[in-house]
PDB file of all heavy atoms in Angstrom:
ATOM      1  N   THR A 531      88.270 -51.878 -22.954  1.00  0.00           N
ATOM      2  CA  THR A 531      89.074 -51.428 -24.028  1.00  0.00           C
ATOM      3  C   THR A 531      88.800 -50.009 -24.394  1.00  0.00           C
ATOM      4  O   THR A 531      87.830 -49.424 -24.069  1.00  0.00           O
ATOM      5  CB  THR A 531      88.864 -52.378 -25.327  1.00  0.00           C
ATOM      6  OG1 THR A 531      87.442 -52.248 -25.706  1.00  0.00           O
ATOM      7  CG2 THR A 531      89.075 -53.833 -24.980  1.00  0.00           C
ATOM      8  N   ILE A 532      89.744 -49.436 -25.165  1.00  0.00           N
ATOM      9  CA  ILE A 532      89.661 -48.052 -25.532  1.00  0.00           C
ATOM     10  C   ILE A 532      88.497 -47.779 -26.581  1.00  0.00           C
ATOM     11  O   ILE A 532      88.199 -46.653 -26.824  1.00  0.00           O
ATOM     12  CB  ILE A 532      90.998 -47.557 -26.050  1.00  0.00           C
ATOM     13  CG1 ILE A 532      91.431 -48.380 -27.252  1.00  0.00           C
ATOM     14  CG2 ILE A 532      91.999 -47.567 -24.917  1.00  0.00           C
ATOM     15  CD1 ILE A 532      92.720 -47.833 -27.925  1.00  0.00           C
ATOM     16  N   ASP A 533      88.084 -48.861 -27.194  1.00  0.00           N
ATOM     17  CA  ASP A 533      87.066 -48.687 -28.303  1.00  0.00           C
ATOM     18  C   ASP A 533      85.658 -48.748 -27.705  1.00  0.00           C
ATOM     19  O   ASP A 533      84.691 -48.748 -28.417  1.00  0.00           O
ATOM     20  CB  ASP A 533      87.248 -49.779 -29.396  1.00  0.00           C
ATOM     21  CG  ASP A 533      87.079 -51.128 -28.852  1.00  0.00           C
ATOM     22  OD1 ASP A 533      86.830 -51.228 -27.528  1.00  0.00           O
ATOM     23  OD2 ASP A 533      87.127 -52.142 -29.550  1.00  0.00           O
ATOM     24  N   GLY A 534      85.522 -48.755 -26.405  1.00  0.00           N
ATOM     25  CA  GLY A 534      84.201 -48.653 -25.696  1.00  0.00           C
ATOM     26  C   GLY A 534      83.746 -49.994 -25.179  1.00  0.00           C
ATOM     27  O   GLY A 534      82.634 -49.964 -24.589  1.00  0.00           O
ATOM     28  N   ALA A 535      84.397 -51.007 -25.375  1.00  0.00           N
ATOM     29  CA  ALA A 535      83.976 -52.333 -24.770  1.00  0.00           C
ATOM     30  C   ALA A 535      84.163 -52.334 -23.269  1.00  0.00           C
ATOM     31  O   ALA A 535      85.176 -51.931 -22.831  1.00  0.00           O
ATOM     32  CB  ALA A 535      84.668 -53.473 -25.432  1.00  0.00           C
ATOM     33  N   PRO A 536      83.160 -52.807 -22.584  1.00  0.00           N
ATOM     34  CA  PRO A 536      83.275 -52.691 -21.048  1.00  0.00           C
ATOM     35  C   PRO A 536      84.113 -53.881 -20.524  1.00  0.00           C
ATOM     36  O   PRO A 536      84.485 -54.828 -21.272  1.00  0.00           O
ATOM     37  CB  PRO A 536      81.858 -52.895 -20.626  1.00  0.00           C
ATOM     38  CG  PRO A 536      81.234 -53.787 -21.715  1.00  0.00           C
ATOM     39  CD  PRO A 536      81.843 -53.336 -22.962  1.00  0.00           C
ATOM     40  N   ALA A 537      84.592 -53.739 -19.295  1.00  0.00           N
ATOM     41  CA  ALA A 537      85.131 -54.890 -18.635  1.00  0.00           C
ATOM     42  C   ALA A 537      84.082 -56.031 -18.498  1.00  0.00           C
ATOM     43  O   ALA A 537      82.915 -55.752 -18.291  1.00  0.00           O
ATOM     44  CB  ALA A 537      85.628 -54.452 -17.204  1.00  0.00           C
ATOM     45  N   ILE A 538      84.594 -57.230 -18.724  1.00  0.00           N
ATOM     46  CA  ILE A 538      83.624 -58.381 -18.776  1.00  0.00           C
ATOM     47  C   ILE A 538      83.995 -59.390 -17.844  1.00  0.00           C
ATOM     48  O   ILE A 538      85.172 -59.738 -17.599  1.00  0.00           O
ATOM     49  CB  ILE A 538      83.600 -59.001 -20.202  1.00  0.00           C
ATOM     50  CG1 ILE A 538      83.184 -58.002 -21.219  1.00  0.00           C
ATOM     51  CG2 ILE A 538      82.817 -60.229 -20.355  1.00  0.00           C
ATOM     52  CD1 ILE A 538      83.193 -58.353 -22.693  1.00  0.00           C
ATOM     53  N   LEU A 539      83.015 -60.012 -17.137  1.00  0.00           N
ATOM     54  CA  LEU A 539      83.139 -61.146 -16.285  1.00  0.00           C
ATOM     55  C   LEU A 539      82.528 -62.336 -16.961  1.00  0.00           C
ATOM     56  O   LEU A 539      81.300 -62.285 -17.278  1.00  0.00           O
ATOM     57  CB  LEU A 539      82.419 -60.890 -14.925  1.00  0.00           C
ATOM     58  CG  LEU A 539      82.252 -62.112 -13.976  1.00  0.00           C
ATOM     59  CD1 LEU A 539      83.648 -62.580 -13.500  1.00  0.00           C
ATOM     60  CD2 LEU A 539      81.350 -61.728 -12.828  1.00  0.00           C
ATOM     61  N   GLN A 540      83.328 -63.378 -17.147  1.00  0.00           N
ATOM     62  CA  GLN A 540      82.794 -64.610 -17.809  1.00  0.00           C
ATOM     63  C   GLN A 540      82.708 -65.655 -16.757  1.00  0.00           C
ATOM     64  O   GLN A 540      83.688 -66.033 -16.083  1.00  0.00           O
ATOM     65  CB  GLN A 540      83.751 -64.959 -18.894  1.00  0.00           C
ATOM     66  CG  GLN A 540      83.737 -64.035 -20.120  1.00  0.00           C
ATOM     67  CD  GLN A 540      84.525 -64.577 -21.224  1.00  0.00           C
ATOM     68  OE1 GLN A 540      84.859 -65.716 -21.321  1.00  0.00           O
ATOM     69  NE2 GLN A 540      84.728 -63.670 -22.301  1.00  0.00           N
ATOM     70  N   LEU A 541      81.539 -66.295 -16.632  1.00  0.00           N
ATOM     71  CA  LEU A 541      81.256 -67.461 -15.712  1.00  0.00           C
ATOM     72  C   LEU A 541      80.921 -68.670 -16.626  1.00  0.00           C
ATOM     73  O   LEU A 541      80.173 -68.610 -17.545  1.00  0.00           O
ATOM     74  CB  LEU A 541      80.074 -67.148 -14.835  1.00  0.00           C
ATOM     75  CG  LEU A 541      80.282 -65.926 -13.858  1.00  0.00           C
ATOM     76  CD1 LEU A 541      78.910 -65.786 -13.119  1.00  0.00           C
ATOM     77  CD2 LEU A 541      81.385 -66.169 -13.029  1.00  0.00           C
ATOM     78  N   SER A 542      81.629 -69.807 -16.258  1.00  0.00           N
ATOM     79  CA  SER A 542      81.555 -70.950 -17.163  1.00  0.00           C
ATOM     80  C   SER A 542      81.291 -72.177 -16.379  1.00  0.00           C
ATOM     81  O   SER A 542      81.738 -72.313 -15.237  1.00  0.00           O
ATOM     82  CB  SER A 542      82.774 -71.128 -18.011  1.00  0.00           C
ATOM     83  OG  SER A 542      82.674 -72.301 -18.740  1.00  0.00           O
ATOM     84  N   ALA A 543      80.515 -73.107 -16.940  1.00  0.00           N
ATOM     85  CA  ALA A 543      80.255 -74.474 -16.305  1.00  0.00           C
ATOM     86  C   ALA A 543      80.577 -75.536 -17.404  1.00  0.00           C
ATOM     87  O   ALA A 543      80.030 -75.448 -18.545  1.00  0.00           O
ATOM     88  CB  ALA A 543      78.852 -74.637 -15.815  1.00  0.00           C
ATOM     89  N   MET A 544      81.424 -76.498 -17.113  1.00  0.00           N
ATOM     90  CA  MET A 544      81.797 -77.469 -18.134  1.00  0.00           C
ATOM     91  C   MET A 544      81.749 -78.867 -17.462  1.00  0.00           C
ATOM     92  O   MET A 544      81.899 -79.045 -16.254  1.00  0.00           O
ATOM     93  CB  MET A 544      83.262 -77.165 -18.565  1.00  0.00           C
ATOM     94  CG  MET A 544      83.329 -75.855 -19.367  1.00  0.00           C
ATOM     95  SD  MET A 544      85.010 -75.555 -20.170  1.00  0.00           S
ATOM     96  CE  MET A 544      85.996 -75.294 -18.753  1.00  0.00           C
ATOM     97  N   ALA A 545      81.650 -79.831 -18.420  1.00  0.00           N
ATOM     98  CA  ALA A 545      81.694 -81.213 -18.024  1.00  0.00           C
ATOM     99  C   ALA A 545      82.790 -81.852 -18.870  1.00  0.00           C
ATOM    100  O   ALA A 545      82.756 -81.797 -20.163  1.00  0.00           O
ATOM    101  CB  ALA A 545      80.381 -81.883 -18.309  1.00  0.00           C
ATOM    102  N   GLY A 546      83.664 -82.622 -18.258  1.00  0.00           N
ATOM    103  CA  GLY A 546      84.771 -83.301 -18.937  1.00  0.00           C
ATOM    104  C   GLY A 546      84.769 -84.777 -18.708  1.00  0.00           C
ATOM    105  O   GLY A 546      84.115 -85.337 -17.741  1.00  0.00           O
ATOM    106  N   TYR A 547      85.368 -85.531 -19.577  1.00  0.00           N
ATOM    107  CA  TYR A 547      85.528 -86.947 -19.543  1.00  0.00           C
ATOM    108  C   TYR A 547      86.957 -87.253 -19.316  1.00  0.00           C
ATOM    109  O   TYR A 547      87.859 -86.835 -20.082  1.00  0.00           O
ATOM    110  CB  TYR A 547      84.954 -87.538 -20.949  1.00  0.00           C
ATOM    111  CG  TYR A 547      85.042 -88.969 -20.966  1.00  0.00           C
ATOM    112  CD1 TYR A 547      84.169 -89.812 -20.289  1.00  0.00           C
ATOM    113  CD2 TYR A 547      86.074 -89.687 -21.705  1.00  0.00           C
ATOM    114  CE1 TYR A 547      84.200 -91.182 -20.368  1.00  0.00           C
ATOM    115  CE2 TYR A 547      86.153 -91.026 -21.763  1.00  0.00           C
ATOM    116  CZ  TYR A 547      85.226 -91.744 -21.115  1.00  0.00           C
ATOM    117  OH  TYR A 547      85.248 -93.185 -21.135  1.00  0.00           O
ATOM    118  N   ARG A 548      87.213 -87.969 -18.301  1.00  0.00           N
ATOM    119  CA  ARG A 548      88.596 -88.461 -17.949  1.00  0.00           C
ATOM    120  C   ARG A 548      89.029 -89.766 -18.718  1.00  0.00           C
ATOM    121  O   ARG A 548      88.636 -90.791 -18.412  1.00  0.00           O
ATOM    122  CB  ARG A 548      88.762 -88.664 -16.484  1.00  0.00           C
ATOM    123  CG  ARG A 548      88.636 -87.362 -15.639  1.00  0.00           C
ATOM    124  CD  ARG A 548      88.733 -87.589 -14.249  1.00  0.00           C
ATOM    125  NE  ARG A 548      87.585 -88.255 -13.617  1.00  0.00           N
ATOM    126  CZ  ARG A 548      87.457 -88.572 -12.351  1.00  0.00           C
ATOM    127  NH1 ARG A 548      88.415 -88.296 -11.473  1.00  0.00           N
ATOM    128  NH2 ARG A 548      86.308 -89.186 -11.927  1.00  0.00           N
ATOM    129  N   GLN A 549      89.723 -89.503 -19.782  1.00  0.00           N
ATOM    130  CA  GLN A 549      90.244 -90.630 -20.618  1.00  0.00           C
ATOM    131  C   GLN A 549      91.204 -91.435 -19.817  1.00  0.00           C
ATOM    132  O   GLN A 549      91.304 -92.730 -19.957  1.00  0.00           O
ATOM    133  CB  GLN A 549      90.807 -90.002 -21.926  1.00  0.00           C
ATOM    134  CG  GLN A 549      91.279 -91.143 -22.824  1.00  0.00           C
ATOM    135  CD  GLN A 549      90.165 -92.001 -23.522  1.00  0.00           C
ATOM    136  OE1 GLN A 549      89.072 -91.528 -23.704  1.00  0.00           O
ATOM    137  NE2 GLN A 549      90.522 -93.174 -23.804  1.00  0.00           N
ATOM    138  N   SER A 550      92.078 -90.807 -19.030  1.00  0.00           N
ATOM    139  CA  SER A 550      93.087 -91.455 -18.271  1.00  0.00           C
ATOM    140  C   SER A 550      93.385 -90.589 -17.087  1.00  0.00           C
ATOM    141  O   SER A 550      92.777 -89.462 -16.949  1.00  0.00           O
ATOM    142  CB  SER A 550      94.399 -91.630 -19.031  1.00  0.00           C
ATOM    143  OG  SER A 550      94.989 -90.433 -19.370  1.00  0.00           O
ATOM    144  N   PRO A 551      94.104 -90.939 -16.075  1.00  0.00           N
ATOM    145  CA  PRO A 551      94.323 -90.107 -14.890  1.00  0.00           C
ATOM    146  C   PRO A 551      94.987 -88.735 -15.326  1.00  0.00           C
ATOM    147  O   PRO A 551      94.866 -87.775 -14.537  1.00  0.00           O
ATOM    148  CB  PRO A 551      95.255 -90.987 -14.059  1.00  0.00           C
ATOM    149  CG  PRO A 551      95.024 -92.386 -14.382  1.00  0.00           C
ATOM    150  CD  PRO A 551      94.684 -92.395 -15.809  1.00  0.00           C
TER     151      PRO A 551
END
Side-chain angles (χ1 to χ4, degrees):
T531 61
I532 58 175
D533 60 0
I538 295 177
L539 170 65
Q540 293 188 9
L541 300 176
S542 175
M544 295 188 288
Y547 180 77
R548 291 182 286 183
Q549 182 68 30
S550 68

